[in-house]
Structures are given as C-alpha cells and as structure tokens.
Amino acid sequence: WGVVEHFVEYLLALHETHRVLKKGGALVLIQPHFWSFGAIQMYWLRFIGRWRFGKQKHFSHTELKRILFSLGFVEVLCCTRAPYKDMPFVRMADTLVKKICPFWGHYLYVVARK
C-alpha cells in the first residue's frame, strides 16, 4: 500500500509485478490520487518548501489504468476514497467534491488482474 508512487522507476516496478504474477493473479494498489485535495496540498507544500515526504507521484485513475493495460493486465478496476479521519479538512473537502465529480478522491484503490 502506498509504495509505487515513491519509485522513480515506477514503470519498471509495475512491469515486474506483472512478470511475477501467475495468470489470473491480482495486483492490489492504494495510491495517492491526482484528482484530490491531497495532490493540491502536496504541490503547495513543495512550492513553499515544507513538503517532508520526498518524491511522490500522484496517479490519475485514467493514467494508471492506461499504464496497467499497456503492461498486459487484462482487467483493471478503480475507485476513489476520501482520506482517513486524521486529515479532517481534506476528508470533508474531498467528500463534498466527490458528490459532483465521482472520480475525485484522496486515495485511488486499484485491482488489476493478469
């Protein structure tokens, strides 16, 4: 959970997961989602020099699906969720925006089958 976004060579890591999975096996990911207030917060904190978490890539649901299909996964399911209760403002804001934009959400949950 929450690992792939920290790899500089995330494509290589995802390719390796496809290589080692048995046919019918599943890759399960929880990633920060690009379409969320969490991503906006990250860019703001980087801009003001207060980001403390190193490199991190926020994938959009469409981008990650495209990548996984291109690597040979045959089924990719995605959904988004608000952050945990330890981020109350972002959780509230994400929940409100999700009512208008169903793809919006802090976390991107993905199941990809080989």
Side-chain angles (χ1 to χ4, degrees):
W1 313 121
V3 173
V4 173
E5 72 273 12
H6 296 289
F7 288 113
V8 173
E9 297 288 340
Y10 61 87
L11 288 174
L12 184 60
L14 292 170
H15 181 270
E16 185 65 6
T17 63
H18 184 269
R19 187 187 73 76
V20 300
L21 274 174
K22 292 180 182 179
K23 185 175 181 169
L27 167 66
V28 179
L29 300 171
I30 299 176
Q31 301 295 136
H33 192 221
F34 180 79
W35 297 107
S36 71
F37 288 108
I40 294 168
Q41 179 185 32
M42 178 194 71
Y43 288 116
W44 171 251
L45 291 173
R46 281 183 179 170
F47 179 74
I48 64 172
R50 297 192 59 202
W51 179 253
R52 303 177 315 223
F53 304 104
K55 293 261 183 205
Q56 183 171 317
K57 176 167 178 49
H58 283 71
F59 293 96
S60 72
H61 60 290
T62 54
E63 176 188 20
L64 195 50
K65 282 177 86 166
R66 180 188 52 77
I67 289 168
L68 294 171
F69 280 128
S70 75
L71 292 172
F73 287 93
V74 295
E75 179 185 15
V76 180
L77 304 172
C78 296
C79 70
T80 58
R81 296 280 186 257
Y84 302 111
K85 292 179 181 181
D86 64 339
M87 299 174 70
F89 174 76
V90 174
R91 182 178 173 86
M92 179 188 64
D94 271 359
T95 302
L96 289 173
V97 173
K98 190 170 180 70
K99 292 177 190 276
I100 300 165
C101 302
F103 58 84
W104 190 271
H106 188 77
Y107 290 114
L108 177 61
Y109 290 73
V110 179
V111 177
R113 292 214 180 270
K114 180 174 179 180

